[in-house]
Amino acid sequence: MRFITWKTGAVVMLSAFLMTGCTNDKESQKQNDAQKDIQKEEVQQSADLGTTVNTEEEVISAVLLLGNTGEELFVDIENDNPFFGTIPEEILDENGDLITADEMNSGDVYLVYGNQIMTQSYPAQYPGIEKLVRQESANQEYIEKYQQLLEQFCPEPDMTQPPELSVDYRQPDALVTAAVNRGGYQWTVQREDGEAESVIADSAHVLDWGELLTEIQLMEETEMELVFTYNPQSVEVKRWPQKERRELRSLDVFSEGELVEIQENEEGFAFYAEPGYVYQITGTWEEGTAEYGFCTISK
């Protein structure tokens, strides 16, 4: 009887163990499936935003190349792929000491830490860099090796005409770059014979640009970074409500517009834009002035 009782108990214990094991396996499988679903959703969201996602944590070894007007172009040493990146606050030198962006040199080799989300453009844009750790300083071999990429993507500015303008702004999980059309300008250049040549290009008021006015979709008030091919000495931004553009035909004169506060930083100039306005940007250089414009609509 004792033998039968022990055997029955062992069977019960074994059954309980198998049931627990099955339950744990099922729970583990559910967790794995849930994690895969999350990763699939992240990849799909990234695809919708025009970006690529690497779900495995990696560190990129890249060389930094500085353009003539301060652009930061990185090149992934492993595959020679160039990308533009946002310089983070945390930058460490070879000894692990904090340094500033001003202490970074062309040819520096860095370990690049970040969220691995890049745009699908070429070169890619990598706004999610979180930390840089320098491994080498001013490696001349890399400068010579990648000089052609630097000249291709960070060319010398053409000073014979006003620069182009684009705006960088953040949307959820993405950094967006939008080209902004140029309007009228006044520009003076020195000819080869030493004589000055002035050009005046008239343009309609920004409210009257029609289809030439760049449209930018915004969800809310958003910081807009002005990215000129080379920075002006000063910038002025004005705005008008979209309704003044719609009522254009009934207007005899245009209102003065509202001045927008400008923020100047190491990168250049920035301001905050809201949906429902027309914005005019006026830049001033030693050579002259130029106007640019875009409008914002609710997303």
Side-chain angles (χ1 to χ4, degrees):
M1 293 293 293
R2 289 180 182 176
F3 176 78
I4 295 175
T5 301
W6 175 87
K7 185 176 181 180
T8 302
V11 171
V12 172
M13 291 175 64
L14 179 60
S15 298
F17 173 77
L18 291 174
M19 290 178 64
T20 302
C22 291
T23 302
N24 289 339
D25 288 344
K26 289 181 179 179
E27 186 63 29
S28 177
Q29 184 63 40
K30 287 181 180 179
Q31 292 177 356
N32 290 337
D33 291 343
Q35 183 63 32
K36 289 180 180 179
D37 290 340
I38 291 173
Q39 291 182 353
K40 288 180 180 179
E41 184 177 353
E42 289 176 346
V43 171
Q44 183 58 49
Q45 290 176 350
S46 176
D48 294 340
L49 292 168
T51 60
T52 56
V53 172
N54 188 342
T55 55
E56 296 182 3
E57 188 134 338
E58 292 182 5
V59 178
I60 299 174
S61 181
V63 60
L64 171 67
L65 302 173
L66 298 178
N68 294 298
T69 55
E71 309 96 322
E72 295 99 0
L73 178 68
F74 290 90
V75 182
D76 187 333
I77 295 174
E78 182 177 351
N79 52 35
D80 296 335
N81 282 341
F83 62 91
F84 288 105
T86 302
I87 303 301
E89 293 184 2
E90 188 175 4
I91 311 170
L92 305 179
D93 65 11
E94 296 87 336
N95 300 317
D97 297 325
L98 279 172
I99 59 175
T100 65
D102 293 336
E103 299 174 82
M104 301 173 70
N105 310 299
S106 194
D108 285 358
V109 179
Y110 291 91
L111 295 180
V112 182
Y113 296 81
N115 58 16
Q116 293 295 309
I117 300 177
M118 294 190 185
T119 63
Q120 293 178 337
S121 59
Y122 185 80
Q125 301 279 343
Y126 190 0
I129 297 177
E130 299 169 356
K131 182 174 70 171
L132 296 172
V133 180
R134 189 163 66 192
Q135 304 297 292
E136 299 180 52
S137 181
N139 187 311
Q140 292 299 315
E141 292 185 5
Y142 282 130
I143 293 177
E144 294 175 6
K145 179 179 180 180
Y146 297 119
Q147 182 65 29
Q148 187 175 356
L149 288 176
L150 184 64
E151 293 174 355
Q152 179 181 355
F153 300 116
C154 304
E156 288 274 3
D158 180 7
M159 307 292 287
T160 62
Q161 59 181 346
E164 302 297 327
L165 171 65
S166 61
V167 291
D168 287 352
Y169 59 98
R170 290 187 180 276
Q171 293 293 274
D173 300 322
L175 175 65
V176 182
T177 298
V180 178
N181 285 335
R182 185 178 65 208
Y185 61 88
Q186 299 180 11
W187 208 251
T188 301
V189 295
Q190 296 293 324
R191 298 192 313 228
E192 292 183 359
D193 59 9
E195 294 294 324
E197 180 178 356
S198 296
V199 177
I200 298 177
D202 291 329
S203 173
H205 193 280
V206 68
L207 292 174
D208 197 19
W209 282 15
E211 294 182 356
L212 294 177
L213 194 64
T214 304
E215 287 191 351
I216 295 178
Q217 292 185 334
L218 297 179
M219 299 178 63
E220 57 188 1
E221 184 181 57
T222 304
E223 185 178 25
M224 316 292 285
E225 181 182 348
L226 300 175
V227 183
F228 295 91
T229 47
Y230 56 98
N231 279 332
Q233 298 169 334
S234 63
V235 168
E236 179 186 82
V237 177
K238 286 186 177 182
R239 73 178 187 179
W240 292 261
Q242 278 275 23
K243 66 178 183 179
E244 293 196 24
R245 186 184 180 197
R246 292 193 296 268
E247 297 170 355
L248 178 63
R249 294 181 180 178
S250 64
L251 295 175
D252 295 327
V253 294
F254 298 105
S255 66
E256 287 295 324
E258 175 188 359
L259 280 173
V260 178
E261 182 180 357
I262 294 290
Q263 300 172 346
E264 186 173 2
N265 52 43
E266 294 181 356
E267 301 297 326
F269 300 89
F271 67 94
Y272 281 87
E274 299 179 48
Y277 286 90
V278 175
Y279 289 87
Q280 176 183 278
I281 299 99
T282 303
T284 300
W285 292 260
E286 183 179 348
E287 294 80 9
T289 61
E291 295 179 350
Y292 309 80
F294 67 88
C295 66
T296 54
I297 57 177
S298 296
K299 188 171 182 180

